[in-house]
Structure formats: structure tokens, C-alpha cells
Amino acid sequence: MRQADEPEISVDVTVLTEPAPLWALVTDIELPARFSGELQGAHWLDDVDGPALGARFVGRNRRLFGTEPVEWETTSTVTALEPQRRFEWSVGDVDQPIARWRFDLEPRGAGATQLTMWAKVGTATSGLTMAVEARPDREEGIVAARLEEWRANMAATLDGIKALAEQPRR
């Protein structure tokens, strides 16, 4: 698998709640930082205080490259917003993103919702691009390793959201 192939990955979980309360959690752009090993936080830009089509936000990230911690920020734009159904954003340029991310909510009856977190690698210049350019002979392994990091963070994020959504109301 190569970066130019724009590989996708998704993780899903069944949450024992209706979509409405779950929607408030998945559209809280700061919440994934509580569970992800990479995302450190996020905030809305342009005096926006919540999700809206075209709204922008900055995400702060941190991860190890070898033994060195590296921190960076990205600007994302909300590209799909279907209340209680889909929340999607593009990282970087909307037309040629670094990546695209999405939460999908699908009612499963009896008070349950299937929550899916999806991501797609983009072709814009990123840390992944630089790693591949430094070792083009190892591109497939580099891309696979990055997707595995995403998968682990996505699973942790979904598990955290599930735990919050299913905790007893007081």
C-alpha cells in the first residue's frame, strides 16, 4: 500500500445509546484528546464555537519520531455535517488534504448506535510524505505502520466515547 493509493481505515463500536447524546460527544473536537496518544487538543477558529459546515479548527498533535518527540499543529475544515449521522473534516487543504477524518452514527434499534471512526490518507505533504521520501524503498511498511498508529488511536477514542456515553446518568 502506497500513500498515493490514499488508503482508508475504519474502526467501529456499538454504543448503548441513541444517536442524539452520542452526537454531542463526537462533535466535541477536544474530546478525542482525552483518549488519543497523538492528539493533544483542538480549538475552533474564526469565532466559531461548534461544528458547522465550513468551520475550521486547529488540532495540536504530538508523537515520537524514533526517540524524538515532535509536536505540530494542523488546521482542519468541516466538510460534511449531517446532525446525528455524520461529522467529517479535511486536514489542511480541502481539495488536497493531508487526511480526511469522519465519525458516522447509525441507529441499531433498541437504544443502540453503531459508531464508526473513519480516516483516509491524503497526498498532500505531511510527516508521512517526508518519511516515505527519506526511505522510498520502505514506503509500504511506513504507510502500514502509520495506519496502525491511527487504528490504535481510533480504537482508544471510540472506547472512551463509548464509556462516556454509556455511563449512568445522575
Side-chain angles (χ1 to χ4, degrees), residues 12-85:
D12 60 61
V13 65
T14 299
V15 183
L16 300 178
T17 189
E18 298 291 336
L22 196 53
W23 181 250
L25 295 172
V26 301
T27 57
D28 177 350
I29 60 168
E30 296 180 46
L31 185 67
R34 292 175 54 183
F35 312 111
S36 170
E38 186 169 314
L39 180 66
Q40 302 298 297
H43 66 272
W44 293 105
L45 294 173
D46 309 319
D47 294 323
V48 172
D49 62 1
L53 198 58
R56 298 179 324 130
F57 61 92
V58 170
R60 294 181 320 283
N61 303 281
R62 182 178 194 272
R63 71 183 283 258
L64 292 177
F65 281 97
T67 59
E68 296 296 316
V70 177
E71 296 183 3
W72 71 98
E73 290 187 347
T74 58
T75 299
S76 296
T77 304
V78 176
T79 53
L81 188 69
E82 298 173 39
Q84 299 182 34
R85 183 116 178 103

Side-chain angles (χ1 to χ4, degrees), residues 92-122:
D93 186 282
V94 172
D95 295 322
Q96 187 180 6
I98 293 168
R100 288 183 30 220
W101 292 83
R102 181 172 69 221
F103 285 108
D104 285 311
L105 292 76
E106 185 175 331
R108 289 292 189 210
T113 304
Q114 179 175 317
L115 175 60
T116 302
M117 190 173 189
W118 170 92
K120 180 177 183 175
V121 174

